[in-house]
Amino acid sequence: MSAAGSAWPGEQLVVAAQRGDVDAITALVSGSHPNVRRFAHSLCASPEDAEDAAQEALIILYRKIGMLRASGALASWMFRIVRNECLRRARATVRARPAPPDTMADITVDSAEDEVLRHLEAGRVAAAVAALPPEQRRVLVMRDLQGLGGREVAHALGLSTAAMKSRLHRARAAVQQALRAPADPGPGGRR
C-alpha cells in the first residue's frame, strides 16, 4: 500500500499469531489498528459507532486469530468483521426506537419460511449498502437506518442540505439497482 502506516502487518507475523505467539498477537492487533479504524470510519454512520466497532473488531482479532484460514486474508477478514459490527450497531439503533403506539396492535408472527426470506433479503441489502462509496453510505445509514432528520445528517457530516439530499438520492438509487439485479447463486449455483 502506498501511504506510510497503511500497510497491514506481514504474513510472518500473522502466521506466528495464528500459532498462539502472544507477542505476535499483540503486535498484529497494534499493527492492524490504523486500518481497522479507517474501515470503521468509512462504514459506520457515526464516529462513536466507528470507534466502538473498531475496538470490537480488534478484540475479535485478538481472540480469534487462530480461526483465520489464510494468513494473507487478514485485510478482507477484518473488513467483514468491521462491516458486520457497523451493521449490527445500526440495526440496534433502529430497534431501540420505540414503535409508534398504533402499530403495536398490528404485530403478527411470520412463518419460518418468511423469516428465512427476510434474512436473505437483509443480507442483500447489507451487501448493497456496504458496496456504496463511503460518503453515500454514511448519509444513507444516518438517514434511513438511524432515522435522523435531513438537517441533522447534513450538519453532522458538514454538508449543505442540498448536498446531503443529492448523496442520499444517489445512495438509494444504487441500492435499489443492486437489489433489482438477480441474486448471485454463488459458485455452483446450478446443479
Side-chain angles (χ1 to χ4, degrees):
M1 302 205 176
S2 57
S6 64
W8 285 88
E11 197 167 335
Q12 287 180 319
L13 185 62
V14 174
V15 170
Q18 286 176 306
R19 291 185 185 142
D21 181 327
V22 176
D23 291 334
I25 294 171
T26 303
L28 182 64
V29 170
S30 177
S32 299
H33 185 247
N35 292 307
V36 169
R37 280 190 78 226
R38 191 177 68 250
F39 282 162
H41 280 275
S42 71
L43 293 170
C44 289
S46 72
E48 296 80 18
D49 281 351
E51 289 300 322
D52 290 346
Q55 290 302 315
E56 187 63 30
L58 291 170
I59 290 168
I60 291 170
L61 172 62
Y62 184 83
R63 290 182 180 161
K64 298 186 178 186
I65 184 60
M67 294 178 67
L68 179 62
R69 290 190 185 123
S71 56
L74 178 65
S76 61
W77 188 53
M78 292 309 300
F79 180 84
R80 282 192 314 273
I81 291 170
V82 170
R83 180 193 66 200
N84 291 342
E85 188 60 27
C86 289
L87 289 171
R88 187 187 69 75
R89 290 177 182 286
R91 285 184 200 117
T93 301
V94 170
R95 280 190 210 121
R97 292 210 172 97
D102 60 320
T103 61
M104 297 302 279
D106 296 333
I107 295 176
T108 59
V109 177
D110 292 330
S111 70
E113 182 179 279
D114 289 339
E115 192 65 26
V116 168
L117 291 173
R118 187 170 26 262
H119 282 290
L120 288 173
E121 188 63 22
R124 288 188 68 213
V125 171
V129 171
L132 291 171
E135 64 277 354
Q136 290 179 15
R137 185 174 40 249
R138 283 188 204 104
V139 170
L140 182 79
V141 168
M142 293 175 80
R143 189 74 176 94
D144 291 350
L145 294 177
Q146 293 183 333
L148 301 176
R151 287 188 192 140
E152 196 175 2
V153 172
H155 178 73
L157 297 176
L159 301 170
S160 68
T161 303
M164 185 280 306
K165 286 180 179 180
S166 176
R167 287 183 186 180
L168 180 61
H169 175 74
R170 286 193 305 268
R172 286 174 175 165
V175 168
Q176 287 173 351
Q177 178 152 358
L179 294 177
R180 279 194 293 268
D184 180 14
R190 290 185 183 210
R191 294 183 187 201

